[in-house]
Amino acid sequence: MSPTARPGPDAAPSPVLLDRDGLSALLDALHARGFDVIGPTMRDGAIVYDRIADIAALPAGWTDRQEPGRYRLERRPDVALFGYAVGPHSWKRFLHPPEETLWRARRAADGFTIIGEAPPPKPFAFLGVRACELHAIAIQDRVFLGGAHQDAGYAARRQGAFLVALACGTAAGTCFCASMGTGPRPENGFDLVLTELIDAARHEFLAVAGSDAGAAVLATLPTRPAGPQAIGAADAVLARTEASMGRHLDTHGLKERLQANPDHPHWDEVTSRCLACTNCTLVCPTCFCTSVSDHTTLAGDEAARVKRWDSCFIADFSFIHGGSVRSSGKSRYRQWLTHKLAHWIDQFGTSGCVGCGRCIAWCPVGIDITAEAAAIGAVAKEDRRGNA
Ligand code: SF4
Ligand code: SF4
């Protein structure tokens, strides 16, 4: 099935309830169907995405506290399995990995033999994909698959991926998907969607199929029909999450406000704090820039062409004949923010920001994209009033 065309189940999907054993059976079913199952787990003081064998790998009873330049894990009062927001990883590290060998060449007696990279041995199944992350995957689908030239490696990894979405039950202090129109409710682009329902009386998951593949897997699991009470409880989870979202970005006219202010003094102010460390681009689930380099062995008998994540915060990234197109830190920060929130709309038809807040939490000096965009937009509004 094309990743950009994911038909829903033939009949309107009926919500069902899974208990913890049912969730465990879901993982078993995905493994049995040959998927490489990736989900959230705890490592190095953060919740990251990695291969998981069973639900024991999930971060039961943990949550995260996130603010500008700060990410900490804390114990929850319950044993929720998905009671946190997003961590430093996004699904792009699997679909668009940090490093990828495009091909290798080996010297032969009569020239070189080119060895292409093997496709991934198993399709991915992602467990716990948030609404903002579904939007981020859709954006990368558009970037890598939507143009005249498709990225063959991305296409191979994306093909057949099974997405288990999660209705967020917790918003971080850095989340603002509600104001970007990308969450917290997963709307489409998934095979199954789960909502974790946990209180003193129960711990279970409302599950709804979003594709025929999802319906087929759900049909094999131990479930029971979900009544109006459970459906109402799932709606209440999303309403609470939206109400507790830590940040907001006023997107009304934002593209025009940013594009009209390339010389706004706030660009200098934010650049005086920016370390050009590239963290924001590395954690961002939509950033896609790469560089390619060729490597040969000293003996000259083997060569490889390697693609690696790169960043518009690095001066060399825009180096062309005669020098860097963006030689100042100001021009590089402005490029990143205006591409994300303004030019991306011209280029791809949507904002490049899904409001996940990762760039805010993982910026070592706490630069906050919502505050910087608002600062430029607010003064621009005042300028317009003064000029009227
Ligand atoms: S720009 Fe920041 S908030 Fe927006 S999608 Fe990227 S990491 Fe998330
Ligand atoms: S993470 Fe912060 S300091 Fe690092 S490049 Fe991005 S904005 Fe600058």
Side-chain angles (χ1 to χ4, degrees), residues 113-180:
T113 306
I114 301 290
I115 307 154
E117 280 305 291
K122 294 176 170 184
F124 288 121
F126 295 153
L127 176 68
V129 185
R130 316 288 170 138
C132 64
E133 299 183 305
L134 291 169
H135 281 268
I137 291 171
I139 285 172
Q140 292 217 320
D141 285 351
R142 207 147 47 236
V143 171
F144 292 120
L145 307 177
H149 305 285
Q150 296 203 338
D151 183 306
Y154 183 92
R157 291 182 289 272
R158 181 72 172 91
Q159 187 68 34
F162 188 98
L163 271 51
V164 182
L166 183 80
C168 281
T170 302
T174 43
C175 289
F176 57 103
C177 66
S179 55
M180 300 308 291

Side-chain angles (χ1 to χ4, degrees), residues 241-262:
T241 302
E242 183 162 349
S244 64
M245 208 144 287
R247 276 176 160 64
H248 174 83
L249 181 62
D250 176 12
T251 57
H252 183 70
L254 183 61
K255 167 172 134 44
E256 292 73 20
R257 282 183 271 148
L258 293 174
Q259 289 178 334
N261 284 280

Side-chain angles (χ1 to χ4, degrees), residues 176 284-285 336 340 353-359 369:
F176 57 103
C284 178
W336 179 72
K340 203 61 62 184
C353 175
V354 297
C356 72
R358 287 181 176 91
C359 59
I369 187 172

Side-chain angles (χ1 to χ4, degrees), residues 10-376:
D10 292 338
S14 302
V16 294
L17 286 166
L18 291 171
D19 59 14
R20 277 179 60 116
D21 289 342
L23 183 70
S24 190
L26 168 60
L27 263 69
D28 291 344
L30 294 174
H31 283 296
R33 285 171 184 247
F35 287 106
D36 189 8
V37 181
I38 312 291
T41 193
M42 262 175 60
R43 192 169 65 230
D44 301 331
I47 291 169
V48 297
Y49 297 146
D50 208 342
R51 291 187 169 78
I52 54 170
D54 51 45
I55 65 169
L58 299 174
W62 288 93
T63 192
D64 47 18
R65 294 271 172 255
Q66 301 193 46
E67 294 300 334
R70 185 178 167 83
Y71 175 100
R72 294 288 184 278
L73 294 183
E74 293 178 1
R75 275 287 182 193
R76 288 175 58 98
D78 58 25
V79 290
L81 298 176
F82 299 97
Y84 38 84
V86 293
H89 284 182
S90 68
W91 305 101
K92 86 171 177 183
R93 70 181 298 103
F94 299 96
L95 297 175
H96 171 48
E99 181 174 308
E100 179 183 4
T101 301
L102 300 176
W103 51 259
R104 295 173 197 277
R106 190 163 298 139
R107 189 192 290 274
D110 53 351
F112 279 95
T113 306
I114 301 290
I115 307 154
E117 280 305 291
K122 294 176 170 184
F124 288 121
F126 295 153
L127 176 68
V129 185
R130 316 288 170 138
C132 64
E133 299 183 305
L134 291 169
H135 281 268
I137 291 171
I139 285 172
Q140 292 217 320
D141 285 351
R142 207 147 47 236
V143 171
F144 292 120
L145 307 177
H149 305 285
Q150 296 203 338
D151 183 306
Y154 183 92
R157 291 182 289 272
R158 181 72 172 91
Q159 187 68 34
F162 188 98
L163 271 51
V164 182
L166 183 80
C168 281
T170 302
T174 43
C175 289
F176 57 103
C177 66
S179 55
M180 300 308 291
T182 55
R185 182 187 294 275
E187 302 279 5
N188 49 48
F190 53 80
D191 295 289
L192 287 177
V193 58
L194 305 176
T195 308
E196 185 167 28
L197 304 173
I198 184 165
D199 56 32
R202 67 169 160 204
H203 187 189
E204 52 195 351
F205 301 86
L206 186 89
V208 183
S211 70
D212 292 338
V217 170
L218 202 52
T220 67
L221 305 180
T223 62
R224 59 191 179 86
Q229 196 278 339
I231 295 168
D235 286 341
V237 166
L238 283 164
R240 271 200 310 275
T241 302
E242 183 162 349
S244 64
M245 208 144 287
R247 276 176 160 64
H248 174 83
L249 181 62
D250 176 12
T251 57
H252 183 70
L254 183 61
K255 167 172 134 44
E256 292 73 20
R257 282 183 271 148
L258 293 174
Q259 289 178 334
N261 284 280
D263 296 316
H264 196 287
H266 194 76
W267 296 122
D268 289 312
E269 194 285 323
V270 65
T271 309
S272 71
R273 290 178 279 139
C274 175
L275 307 172
C277 69
T278 78
N279 265 14
C280 49
T281 52
L282 302 180
V283 295
C284 178
T286 67
C287 277
F288 56 82
C289 290
T290 53
S291 288
V292 168
S293 55
D294 290 339
H295 306 265
T296 54
T297 58
L298 281 177
D301 53 352
E302 282 198 9
R305 176 158 292 175
V306 178
K307 184 168 81 172
R308 290 193 180 88
W309 286 356
D310 207 333
S311 172
C312 52
F313 280 86
I314 294 176
D316 276 1
F317 184 66
S318 62
F319 189 95
I320 58 172
H321 175 73
S324 176
V325 170
R326 299 186 198 98
S327 55
S328 68
K330 170 185 169 180
S331 63
R332 295 197 288 279
Y333 183 83
R334 183 180 56 202
Q335 153 65 21
W336 179 72
L337 188 138
T338 54
H339 187 211
K340 203 61 62 184
L341 296 175
H343 309 318
W344 205 298
I345 297 169
D346 297 329
Q347 193 176 2
F348 298 114
T350 65
S351 172
C353 175
V354 297
C356 72
R358 287 181 176 91
C359 59
I360 305 171
W362 294 94
C363 174
V365 292
I367 291 175
D368 176 348
I369 187 172
T370 64
E372 314 315 333
I376 291 160

